[in-house]
Amino acid sequence: MSLIAPTAVVAEDEAALRGELVEQLGRLWPELSIVGEAADGLEALRLLDRHQPDILFLDIEMPGATGIDVARQVGGRAHIVFVTAYDQYAIAAFDQGAVDYLLKPLAGARLFTAISRLKARLGQAPAALGGVLDQLGSRPAAAAPSAARAPLRWINASVGQTLRLITVDEVMFFQSDNKYTRLALKDGEALIRKPLKELIDELDAQQFWQIHRSTLVNVNAIASVSRDFRGRMQIKLKHGSEMLLVAESCAHLFRQM
């Protein structure tokens, strides 16, 4: 196992989240070489045998073979970071020997902490996880759904070549922009790969309203609502000159404003 150029495999069945994790690892740990990406547990096992990576980022819930199944096959050959939406299970794994855990949606500061711990442990033998894997494997089938998690509070976004941590309160609106989502801020804009449909589920619905199929607006950033000469409803923001079009199907949101 090389301390100079460590290697990793990322196993996550959600393509957008897998891409986001790989991108963030590239920014926060450029020395790390991602030697393989897997969309299911069986592919993760094949990549493990083929590349013998130093680190495995394993989603606990994957088709084919779960992250727990894959971890059982690792046999101390790699350090493991679990990726999960269910923090009670990940925290149990971390406390009993797993290198670390990442919760969905990914948080840049949390990933930075995990990277720091991985760097410190790369010179050591990977932890034995037999007991904790038994515990994870016997968890209740009806785990709390991700929708019950606290609303998203901050986001990792690209501003040029820089990864910036942005609180959702700073965002005036989110807007779909091809394969990215654009964040409009008081001091500029940023881009993320997370699609708008995922943000709708993760943000506080009381704070962010969908006013168009491509736009979510922060209600705290709204200065006024009016209609243009065609009768279309539009929003003026407290900062900036951009006007946001409101779809007729969403006009009811503003009737009591």
Side-chain angles (χ1 to χ4, degrees):
M1 193 163 54
S2 172
L3 297 179
I4 299 174
T7 59
V9 164
V10 175
E12 164 61 57
D13 66 328
E14 298 178 48
L17 184 62
R18 187 172 67 251
E20 182 182 355
L21 177 53
V22 169
E23 181 180 20
Q24 290 192 33
L25 285 168
R27 291 179 182 275
L28 297 176
W29 197 358
E31 300 83 9
L32 180 69
S33 176
I34 307 298
V35 295
E37 299 179 37
D40 59 66
L42 295 179
E43 178 62 17
L45 287 170
R46 286 192 288 267
L47 291 173
L48 171 67
D49 291 336
R50 183 185 311 158
H51 297 291
Q52 297 295 308
D54 300 317
I55 302 162
L56 282 173
F57 291 89
L58 288 178
D59 182 14
I60 289 182
E61 299 290 340
M62 286 189 295
T66 68
I68 299 166
D69 296 330
V70 174
R72 291 187 193 279
Q73 301 299 316
V74 172
R77 289 181 285 167
H79 295 279
I80 291 175
V81 178
F82 287 118
V83 182
T84 180
Y86 308 121
D87 59 340
Q88 64 268 41
Y89 305 123
I91 289 172
F94 172 61
D95 289 342
Q96 297 188 40
V99 169
D100 217 328
Y101 65 94
L102 299 172
L103 296 180
K104 302 178 187 180
L106 297 176
R110 190 70 190 80
L111 179 57
F112 183 82
T113 298
I115 289 171
S116 298
R117 288 172 173 156
L118 281 165
K119 288 179 177 179
R121 294 198 186 190
L122 277 176
Q124 307 170 19
L129 302 179
V132 72
L133 293 178
D134 290 340
Q135 180 181 342
L136 288 170
S138 63
R139 69 192 187 282
S146 58
R149 300 197 305 271
L152 187 64
R153 291 303 178 194
W154 50 280
I155 293 171
N156 312 298
S158 298
V159 181
Q161 297 300 311
T162 303
L163 182 65
R164 177 175 167 184
L165 303 183
I166 299 170
T167 65
V168 297
D169 293 335
E170 298 176 69
V171 181
M172 295 189 295
F173 64 88
F174 296 90
Q175 196 164 62
S176 295
D177 184 8
N178 296 320
K179 64 179 180 179
Y180 295 97
T181 297
R182 180 167 68 101
L183 283 62
L185 312 168
K186 294 178 184 178
D187 59 350
E189 62 180 40
L191 296 174
I192 59 174
R193 286 189 175 181
K194 188 183 293 291
L196 204 68
K197 63 181 180 180
E198 289 186 22
L199 287 167
I200 291 170
D201 293 333
E202 295 172 2
L203 290 165
D204 185 348
Q206 299 300 313
Q207 181 179 2
F208 287 90
W209 292 357
Q210 185 172 18
I211 60 168
H212 192 275
R213 65 181 181 181
S214 64
T215 310
L216 283 174
V217 67
N218 185 340
V219 296
N220 298 317
I222 297 174
S224 62
V225 181
S226 60
R227 290 189 180 273
D228 64 13
F229 69 95
R230 296 180 180 176
R232 299 177 303 178
M233 186 174 287
Q234 57 186 4
I235 290 173
K236 177 178 174 55
L237 301 171
K238 294 177 181 177
H239 303 277
S241 59
E242 192 165 359
M243 302 289 287
L244 300 179
L245 183 65
V246 179
E248 281 302 317
S249 60
C250 303
H252 66 279
L253 295 169
F254 301 94
R255 287 174 184 154
Q256 296 183 3
M257 288 190 68

